[in-house]
Amino acid sequence: MTAPARTRNGYARGRLTVHDDPAKLTPVSRALRAAGRKVVLVPTMGALHEGHRELIRHARSVPGNVVPVVSIFVNPLQFGPNEDLERYPRPLERDLDACREEGVELVFTPSVDHMYPPGSDTRIVAGALGADLEGGPRPGHFDGMLTVVAKLFHIVGPDVALFGEKDYQQLTLVKKMVRDLDFPLSVVGVPTVREPDGLALSSRNVYLSADERPRAVTLSRALREGAAVSAHGPAAVLERARAVLDTEPALQVEYLELRDADTLGEPVDGGRARLLVAARIGATRLIDNVPVQL
Ligand code: PAF
């Protein structure tokens, strides 16, 4: 699907061009870069919400003559057998409207066959960090995520790629892959967007029932209250956050961890850390995290 519109650079400005074929998208992106534009990629799985819009606004504010590019692809490789691949929301027309409203120039919406044609079974391996935290209950998730992100980086060839801090382990792993495998681009994390009551925005929030929604806010409250006592050290942070989580019986906490903000290894005294939580509420699994200065 392509809707070209010409300007002085030869490509749409203020109007959206949509490509589903990598072979068409790559030359467009390369030509834009050759013309001095800075290609800034926001990779998504669609179902765009205010958090994605914030990423796009952030993309547009990157210094330079920016081309904001959004990819929309529900990547089957990062879903486990019992996860929500089939029911994952795919409101493409609404997503394209959101992209138009936010001034996106290029959208890349490949099909599964475009991304993984028959026989395409080479994968990126996420390493030890890929099996930790989110990787524990979701084996292979980060291999699948990094594989598609590596492909998107090659296809789009961005100067900068933006990822939300909400998926902090994902952001850390993408930065690590870019370092380890020498991808020529910068990866930038953008702070989590929250509802007024503190709930982190997520495409999965739509699964929360009316009864679960107010209970889910306990997650962000626990993180905030834990971070607030950081002057008393790591144990106090974890103890305070755990005490808040324990007030909500509907939450099944999978992990609550304080980790080093750069490596997600053990936190360092006096260093930047991250307090991370994952919990189920009913059938919905939610994650959240906040910065903590130790
Ligand atoms: O965060 C997401 O939406 C996905 O994991 C990503 C980065 C688009 C890769 O499929």
Side-chain angles (χ1 to χ4, degrees):
M1 190 187 351
T2 308
R6 298 191 73 78
T7 67
R8 69 193 146 83
N9 282 333
Y11 299 98
R13 256 195 98 92
R15 253 196 285 171
L16 192 66
T17 305
V18 183
H19 288 281
D20 57 9
D21 184 349
K24 300 246 170 63
L25 191 277
T26 302
V28 172
S29 175
R30 283 194 185 152
L32 288 164
R33 287 186 81 190
R37 309 284 306 277
K38 186 182 273 185
V39 174
V40 182
L41 173 65
V42 177
T44 80
M45 296 205 300
L48 303 183
H49 51 61
E50 191 52 33
H52 296 107
R53 285 179 182 256
E54 186 55 30
L55 285 172
I56 297 168
R57 285 176 212 135
H58 204 95
R60 294 186 62 194
S61 73
V62 168
N65 190 358
V66 165
V67 189
V69 181
V70 169
S71 63
I72 298 177
F73 178 63
V74 182
N75 174 33
L77 283 194
Q78 65 190 80
F79 286 77
N82 300 318
E83 293 184 23
D84 54 352
L85 174 62
E86 295 312 323
R87 70 168 184 149
Y88 199 86
R90 291 167 172 83
L92 182 61
E93 284 311 315
R94 226 186 56 208
D95 287 348
L96 294 180
D97 285 345
C99 287
R100 238 174 249 118
E101 283 163 22
E102 297 300 338
V104 173
E105 277 187 48
L106 271 178
V107 169
F108 179 46
T109 57
S111 65
V112 172
D113 271 356
H114 279 123
M115 292 303 271
Y116 306 115
S120 155
D121 59 2
T122 305
R123 302 287 179 256
I124 301 278
V125 177
L129 180 54
D132 198 6
L133 299 169
E134 285 301 288
R138 306 182 74 190
H141 165 71
F142 286 121
D143 295 357
M145 181 279 293
L146 287 181
T147 300
V148 83
V149 168
K151 285 176 70 76
L152 291 169
F153 286 173
H154 287 306
I155 293 165
V156 179
D159 298 284
V160 180
L162 300 183
F163 291 80
E165 287 185 349
K166 155 95 178 6
D167 294 299
Y168 198 81
Q169 189 176 5
Q170 165 171 283
L171 169 65
T172 307
L173 280 163
V174 171
K175 283 184 173 167
K176 186 169 187 304
M177 174 182 77
V178 161
R179 249 187 348 259
D180 288 353
L181 301 184
D182 308 295
F183 280 78
L185 67 127
S186 338
V187 175
V188 175
V190 177
T192 304
V193 179
R194 297 180 181 279
E195 300 279 9
D197 65 1
L199 182 71
L201 293 197
S202 160
S203 306
R204 293 191 165 104
N205 291 352
V206 296
Y207 302 149
L208 294 169
S209 70
D211 174 60
E212 290 164 350
R213 170 62 187 79
R215 296 173 187 272
V217 86
T218 311
L219 237 54
S220 57
R221 192 161 64 82
L223 296 180
R224 205 172 51 246
E225 292 198 18
V229 298
S230 63
H232 300 286
V237 170
L238 287 166
E239 203 177 304
R240 181 70 204 135
R242 175 65 66 178
V244 175
L245 292 172
D246 286 347
T247 63
E248 180 44 75
L251 283 181
Q252 288 169 264
V253 178
E254 288 186 3
Y255 62 76
L256 171 71
E257 293 274 342
L258 187 64
R259 299 289 183 92
D260 178 75
D262 293 324
T263 62
L264 289 181
E266 284 302 305
V268 181
D269 265 354
R272 287 185 327 112
R274 209 83 194 177
L275 182 59
L276 306 109
V277 69
R280 279 186 189 280
I281 179 157
T284 310
R285 188 171 184 280
L286 298 174
I287 57 173
D288 199 355
N289 67 86
V290 294
V292 175
Q293 181 60 50
L294 289 176

